[in-house]
Amino acid sequence: MRALRSSVVAAVAVATALTAVAGCAEKSGSSGADAILVKATDDACEVSKTSFPAGHVTINVENKGSKVTEVYVYAPGDRIVTERENIGPGTKAEITATIKKAGSYEIACKPGMKGDGIRQKITVTGADKAEKSSPELDMAVAEYRRYVQAQADETVPAAQKFADAVKKGDLDEAKKLYAPSRIGWERTEPVAESFGDIDPKVDVREDGLEKDQQWTGWHKLEKSLWDEKKITEDDKKLADQLMKDLADWQKRVGTAEITPTSMANGAKELLDEVATGKVTGEEERYSHTDLVDFQANVEGAEKSYALLKPVAAKNDAALAKELDKQFAELKKLLGDYREGDGFKAYDTVGKDDRKKLSDAVNALAEPLSKLAGAVAK
């Protein structure tokens, strides 16, 4: 989904221990006395409760600092299990989560949206509590699991063609195959990132590298192809490494923990990824193929919504109607930037047009943040 970056460390995962949904700051059934309050400042992350039972939990965040912040929940091993980004100074946000397993976790505030964050340890107690389900939701999860596996299965051969072109030293062919090789990954980034160790290998950007981390993956090759305009012997080795890492993802994707709320959360995070990386032009800064990624992110989000819609519409018809409208309007707007079988280079998209795209993304992201709540009713 998103490569780690110095300006925005954006990651979300569907973890085995926790399923969570980030939403707007609004009331929920578990708000009030039972909620965990997080007060984030530029140099502190105060958590009102450090121990609570497994089950549904609400985390109410208030940013009292001067910087935009993010709040993460980590499982052991620094696996990111949920996060809420872009919480501006003086604003609030609510995260509704279902914690299934007892154990040790951490809540982290990230002022400036970078670094390891200011962390507080929390303990989840009690026996495992399964998330409420239904035949319709079970069917949605099963179908989505097939979808993410199919996307991985389609990505590997597409990426192999790209890697083969790199290994042949064919600069023009590699450029042509670069963006198509990423579509399946972009559609299912939240699930792809659930394993923690794969995304930093295949999708990290140079400014998101951790200390002493070797730069590998798509974006390293992107820089060679468009910025350096040459393919080195090291690049050919990196092409093989990319395929090794993607094969690992393909093999493991079937083991990902997927639930109705994680699907809804993932849809919202895909829109956040568009807002923080694609609309800004940061993601594909050398190739300018951002609109291909943009389209794939929207397609992945819409797939999750479509599978959850029967239940969401039953529980909140107005929300479903609004989501239908906003998805349609965003897709129509994207169509204006098509060129042949693909999209215009993003560096040819002017400021006013980027603003239109950003506004359309935000118009969809707001109701999409409420999808999990509708599904969980």
Side-chain angles (χ1 to χ4, degrees), residues 217-360:
W218 271 303
H219 293 302
K220 173 63 176 73
L221 294 170
E222 178 202 5
K223 183 177 183 180
S224 294
L225 296 175
W226 275 273
D227 187 52
E228 298 170 0
K229 298 180 174 59
K230 63 181 180 180
I231 296 172
T232 67
E233 290 303 312
D234 283 342
D235 290 329
K236 295 176 182 180
K237 293 177 182 177
L238 286 176
D240 280 332
Q241 183 63 49
L242 173 64
M243 293 314 304
K244 180 180 178 181
D245 294 331
L246 289 176
D248 183 28
W249 163 55
Q250 180 189 28
K251 181 179 179 180
R252 292 161 64 185
V253 71
T255 67
E257 180 77 13
I258 298 173
T259 69
T261 51
S262 73
M263 288 169 59
N265 184 52
K268 171 61 165 62
E269 292 306 325
L270 283 170
L271 264 291
D272 289 343
E273 171 65 10
V274 173
T276 59
K278 279 66 174 185
V279 169
T280 62
E282 293 179 79
E283 181 77 8
E284 306 289 359
R285 61 187 63 177
Y286 307 111
S287 66
H288 306 298
T289 56
D290 302 86
L291 289 174
V292 178
D293 291 358
F294 189 136
Q295 172 80 6
N297 285 157
V298 173
E299 289 173 344
E302 188 174 30
K303 180 65 175 182
S304 292
Y305 166 59
L307 293 173
L308 296 170
K309 182 179 174 179
V311 172
K314 188 185 303 182
N315 293 338
D316 192 336
L319 176 64
K321 182 177 180 180
E322 181 66 15
L323 285 169
D324 287 342
K325 174 186 174 184
Q326 296 301 336
F327 267 116
E329 291 186 357
L330 179 56
K331 289 191 297 179
K332 180 180 179 182
L333 181 60
L334 264 175
D336 292 341
Y337 302 93
R338 285 198 172 275
E339 191 171 80
D341 294 333
F343 287 91
K344 295 179 180 178
Y346 201 59
D347 59 342
T348 68
V349 177
K351 183 178 179 180
D352 290 344
D353 285 326
R354 293 189 183 199
K355 177 65 163 55
K356 290 178 183 178
L357 288 165
S358 178
D359 289 346

Side-chain angles (χ1 to χ4, degrees), residues 64-327:
K64 297 183 75 67
S66 63
K67 302 175 182 178
V68 177
T69 195
E70 294 179 323
V71 172
Y72 286 65
V73 178
Y74 289 99
D78 255 14
R79 174 174 289 194
I80 301 170
V81 294
T82 191
E83 58 87 18
R84 176 66 187 268
E85 62 183 67
N86 294 326
I87 306 172
T91 66
K92 299 178 181 181
E94 180 178 286
I95 304 171
T96 303
T98 302
I99 302 180
K100 291 184 174 183
K101 294 184 178 181
S104 298
Y105 299 84
E106 288 183 318
I107 291 178
C109 304
K110 295 192 176 184
M113 299 192 297
K114 60 184 179 180
D116 291 333
I118 304 164
R119 302 194 181 196
Q120 297 290 340
K121 294 184 182 299
I122 58 174
T123 301
V124 177
T125 62
D128 295 0
K129 295 185 178 181
E131 187 175 23
K132 288 184 179 179
S133 190
S134 70
E136 286 178 306
L137 291 177
D138 289 343
M139 186 180 300
V141 169
E143 181 59 33
Y144 187 67
R145 187 176 294 281
R146 286 190 287 270
Y147 174 73
V148 296
Q149 184 66 64
Q151 294 305 306
D153 292 345
E154 292 171 11
T155 295
V156 169
Q160 187 64 66
K161 291 179 181 179
F162 167 67
D164 289 344
V166 172
K167 291 165 66 177
K168 290 176 184 177
D170 191 333
L171 190 70
D172 290 339
E173 184 70 3
K175 284 183 175 182
K176 177 182 175 182
L177 296 170
Y178 170 77
S181 76
R182 291 174 48 76
I183 291 173
W185 174 275
E186 291 288 335
R187 285 172 176 158
T188 58
E189 281 184 286
V191 177
E193 288 190 340
S194 69
F195 304 104
D197 58 331
I198 297 177
D199 180 74
K201 295 177 183 178
V202 305
D203 202 30
V204 69
R205 299 206 309 263
E206 188 172 17
D207 54 349
L209 294 170
E210 299 292 340
K211 184 178 180 181
D212 300 324
Q213 179 185 349
Q214 180 185 2
W215 192 16
T216 59
W218 271 303
H219 293 302
K220 173 63 176 73
L221 294 170
E222 178 202 5
K223 183 177 183 180
S224 294
L225 296 175
W226 275 273
D227 187 52
E228 298 170 0
K229 298 180 174 59
K230 63 181 180 180
I231 296 172
T232 67
E233 290 303 312
D234 283 342
D235 290 329
K236 295 176 182 180
K237 293 177 182 177
L238 286 176
D240 280 332
Q241 183 63 49
L242 173 64
M243 293 314 304
K244 180 180 178 181
D245 294 331
L246 289 176
D248 183 28
W249 163 55
Q250 180 189 28
K251 181 179 179 180
R252 292 161 64 185
V253 71
T255 67
E257 180 77 13
I258 298 173
T259 69
T261 51
S262 73
M263 288 169 59
N265 184 52
K268 171 61 165 62
E269 292 306 325
L270 283 170
L271 264 291
D272 289 343
E273 171 65 10
V274 173
T276 59
K278 279 66 174 185
V279 169
T280 62
E282 293 179 79
E283 181 77 8
E284 306 289 359
R285 61 187 63 177
Y286 307 111
S287 66
H288 306 298
T289 56
D290 302 86
L291 289 174
V292 178
D293 291 358
F294 189 136
Q295 172 80 6
N297 285 157
V298 173
E299 289 173 344
E302 188 174 30
K303 180 65 175 182
S304 292
Y305 166 59
L307 293 173
L308 296 170
K309 182 179 174 179
V311 172
K314 188 185 303 182
N315 293 338
D316 192 336
L319 176 64
K321 182 177 180 180
E322 181 66 15
L323 285 169
D324 287 342
K325 174 186 174 184
Q326 296 301 336
F327 267 116

